[in-house]
Amino acid sequence: MVRRLLVILAIATSAIADEASTAARFELLREDPLMLRRFLEQMPKGGDLHQHLSGAVYAETYIALAAKDNLCIDLDALIYESCAADGNAAAAAQALTDTNLYAKILDALSMRQFRGTEKSGHDHFFATFGRFSAATRNHASEMLTEVVARFARENVDYIESLWGQDLGSARSLGRKVQPGASFADMRAYLLQNGAAEVVAASRKTIDDAETHLRKTLGCSSATPQPGCESTVRYLFETHRAFPREQLFAELLIGFELAKADSRVVGLNTVQPEDYYASMTGFDELMSMIAYLRPLYPGVPVSLHAGELANGLVPPEGMQNHVRDSVLIARAERIGHGVDIARERDALDLLRTMSRRPVAVEVCLTSNDVILGVRGKQHPLRFYLRNDVPVVLATDDPGVARNDMTTEWQRAVEEHGATYAELKRFARNSIQYSFIEGESLWNDRRYESMNGGCRDEMAASCTAFIDANTKARVQMRLERRLREFENSELR
């Protein structure tokens, strides 16, 4: 017994020393952008909890998929469409042999080379989704495979990917709902008229995507590619600017799907927060979620809120979106939260977020290119000073032409993040994930492990990890962090 305690103490002491030496090495690289990039790329980063699948795919892939599907490109609007459409169009495949057209399409489908002389970053960013939408149809499998493999190559082992696994079926179902019906009547109608079929089809879509991913990456072969050891979960995408009945149908299907399939761990809302429908329908969205949540008590919610900046909406439009998402919708996480300092009773709200706790998904590149908010104007430090859990996320890395390592480098270069803070961001990304099972940790400071795992070799720890997926992913991160802290920079 005494010997085991001495071994545990030695391991703990060694871990502290390794972390200190790694932190010292990190500080030496802080002013060297290229070596800092190498360091951060190799560091295990946990997970990405805020990533839109369609926005995470690079435009080069959409050109290839459009050519594969024999789509055409509207040469004026640079939108993919059926070749039966009238107008100034060309086969998408033409871009594969026309260098100028290829470059023009890349710029139209992403923030590549965006200069902002004729339109804002906000408008160009959100316009890209409509341009490549046709190229995403029937290609969720290829898209997911690309994204999981890319994240794995930069040591991101867990992903909550946000997309519509129903492929638009919930929206179609919502069109059949009686306009103006009560929440209860809408739910009853949807459950009796096709919700189960939409859920079943959505689960098959996930099955097909995961089968394709494992086959493409050779996960059963002797030489599996990066991504095979990753853990992937899904958030169901709902559209807050859609008509009332369609939005409710999507919310209901999202809750039903998460209830039926453990791989779907929650839901979220998408579309620009400053859209007229998003702003005027915000209160009812909160009411819809507040109505549905007690009916699905095991299903968590993350909400885009506070993705607003000065001048984008009137000042009063930035006073309550984060607040109501936390207090009315009871969101477990907030996406962006950029306007937090303008929220009503902001410090009281931050105390609530810290106490509950409600994590914030910080997307530095996205907030820069869409909102023009960067550096000291960004509330990252404001959240940290008020002890609100922070995770770093990519949002739409394909559209923004970035990756997770870029987000971490921005946190260091623009916000002075320390190695200890980066390590906490990594741990937060699993601790505040919606993945099933109990946490490895007893406390928010990551000082005490659960399930007898102070001794990782104990039978009780092994049993605990086997029974709890979250704990298993967290233990993998801890072991990878130890390996990183004991390795040489390559």
Side-chain angles (χ1 to χ4, degrees):
M1 181 65 178
V2 173
R3 182 172 182 179
R4 170 169 279 190
L5 289 174
L6 289 173
V7 169
I8 292 171
L9 180 61
I11 291 173
T13 303
S14 174
I16 293 170
D18 291 337
E19 179 175 339
S21 62
T22 303
R25 179 175 49 158
F26 166 79
E27 290 300 326
L28 292 175
L29 301 177
R30 181 182 289 277
E31 303 303 323
D32 185 336
L34 301 183
M35 290 302 291
L36 177 63
R37 166 77 196 194
R38 297 299 302 152
F39 178 96
L40 295 174
E41 190 172 76
Q42 293 176 30
M43 182 178 177
K45 290 177 276 294
D48 189 347
L49 307 185
H50 188 123
Q51 172 257 114
H52 302 257
L53 180 58
S54 65
V57 174
Y58 268 63
E60 287 85 347
T61 298
Y62 286 135
I63 294 176
L65 292 176
K68 178 180 179 180
D69 288 348
N70 296 314
L71 294 179
C72 281
I73 181 79
D74 182 319
L75 296 175
D76 297 318
L78 294 174
I79 296 174
Y80 284 126
E81 57 188 16
S82 166
C83 288
D86 296 328
N88 183 24
Q94 181 177 322
L96 300 179
T97 56
D98 185 332
T99 301
N100 291 331
L101 178 60
Y102 190 83
K104 192 174 182 181
I105 295 173
L106 289 182
D107 292 348
L109 301 190
S110 72
M111 300 303 290
R112 177 181 180 267
Q113 301 192 106
F114 179 74
R115 297 292 180 267
T117 56
E118 297 181 359
K119 64 168 62 174
S120 68
H122 171 285
D123 291 351
H124 182 79
F125 187 97
F126 286 115
T128 63
F129 292 87
R131 293 188 179 119
F132 58 62
S133 176
T136 69
R137 295 170 192 158
N138 305 314
H139 291 296
S141 298
E142 295 98 317
M143 293 159 61
L144 183 67
T145 299
E146 173 182 320
V147 170
V148 171
R150 179 174 291 125
F151 274 104
R153 286 193 294 271
E154 55 170 337
N155 295 297
V156 178
D157 291 332
Y158 176 73
I159 295 174
E160 285 182 11
S161 187
L162 175 60
W163 53 293
Q165 297 88 31
D166 66 315
L167 305 179
S169 297
R171 183 185 328 164
S172 298
L173 196 60
R175 294 192 184 103
K176 301 175 183 178
V177 174
Q178 178 69 33
S182 69
F183 295 165
D185 287 346
M186 285 195 288
R187 180 171 184 262
Y189 176 86
L190 292 165
L191 291 177
Q192 295 167 15
N193 292 275
E197 290 78 6
V198 174
V199 168
S202 300
R203 297 184 72 182
K204 185 179 185 305
T205 296
I206 297 171
D207 290 340
D208 293 344
E210 292 191 341
T211 297
H212 179 275
L213 183 150
R214 296 194 64 79
K215 180 179 179 180
T216 303
L217 299 184
C219 295
S220 298
S221 71
T223 55
Q225 297 179 41
C228 287
E229 294 187 16
S230 298
T231 302
V232 184
R233 294 293 183 267
Y234 310 97
L235 297 173
F236 186 82
E237 177 181 273
T238 67
H239 297 79
R240 58 186 167 192
F242 279 3
R244 174 181 182 270
E245 292 72 27
Q246 294 177 38
L247 171 57
F248 186 88
E250 287 191 330
L251 289 168
L252 177 74
I253 293 299
F255 278 110
E256 287 283 332
L257 180 57
K259 177 183 175 182
D261 195 318
S262 62
R263 296 171 297 181
V264 180
V265 293
L267 61 155
N268 203 331
T269 51
V270 302
Q271 295 184 304
E273 193 171 348
D274 58 289
Y275 275 6
Y276 176 78
S278 301
M279 295 297 292
T280 58
F282 178 78
D283 290 345
E284 186 159 41
L285 170 63
M286 295 295 100
S287 297
M288 287 179 181
I289 298 173
Y291 166 77
L292 288 167
R293 295 217 63 179
L295 302 174
Y296 303 90
V299 180
V301 170
S302 177
L303 292 176
H304 284 67
E307 191 181 5
L308 300 167
N310 185 42
L312 199 58
V313 297
E316 54 271 21
M318 294 189 286
Q319 292 184 347
N320 69 309
H321 284 199
V322 176
R323 168 172 287 278
D324 289 356
S325 295
V326 170
L327 300 181
I328 297 175
R330 304 289 295 181
E332 282 83 359
R333 297 199 312 254
I334 293 296
H336 298 290
V338 176
D339 73 358
I340 184 66
R342 292 174 174 266
E343 291 274 332
R344 187 172 65 254
D345 300 324
L347 294 179
D348 177 66
L349 174 58
L350 287 165
R351 283 190 288 270
T352 298
M353 294 174 71
S354 174
R355 183 176 63 253
R356 193 177 291 177
V358 177
V360 179
E361 305 152 358
V362 170
C363 308
L364 295 172
T365 299
S366 174
N367 298 156
D368 185 359
V369 300
I370 296 175
L371 303 176
V373 176
R374 66 183 72 87
K376 291 183 179 180
Q377 293 299 315
H378 195 281
L380 171 59
R381 279 284 158 205
F382 193 42
Y383 282 117
L384 293 176
R385 284 198 303 272
N386 286 278
D387 199 30
V388 175
V390 166
V391 298
L392 298 180
T394 59
D395 200 12
D396 298 280
V399 174
R401 311 290 286 189
N402 71 319
D403 56 14
M404 182 63 99
T405 303
T406 301
E407 300 306 305
W408 283 52
Q409 187 151 6
R410 292 188 76 141
V412 174
E413 295 178 340
E414 298 174 14
H415 300 276
T418 65
Y419 179 71
E421 287 174 330
L422 294 178
K423 196 169 180 178
R424 176 160 296 193
F425 295 155
R427 286 169 165 167
N428 284 350
S429 70
I430 312 300
Q431 178 71 12
Y432 298 101
S433 74
F434 296 156
I435 193 171
E436 66 276 11
E438 293 185 43
S439 172
L440 178 66
W441 298 99
N442 280 319
D443 66 305
R444 288 176 58 181
R445 302 298 173 189
Y446 305 112
E447 295 172 346
S448 173
M449 286 188 178
N450 219 333
C453 286
R454 183 176 179 182
D455 178 1
E456 293 180 23
M457 305 306 294
S460 59
C461 181
T462 300
F464 179 74
I465 290 172
D466 288 344
N468 294 281
T469 306
K470 175 176 276 190
R472 175 176 59 78
V473 175
Q474 288 175 313
M475 184 60 82
R476 172 176 165 80
L477 173 61
E478 291 307 304
R479 289 168 177 165
R480 294 202 68 205
L481 283 168
R482 283 203 298 269
E483 291 173 2
F484 172 73
E485 291 173 349
N486 279 288
S487 67
E488 295 293 328
L489 188 61
R490 298 187 297 277

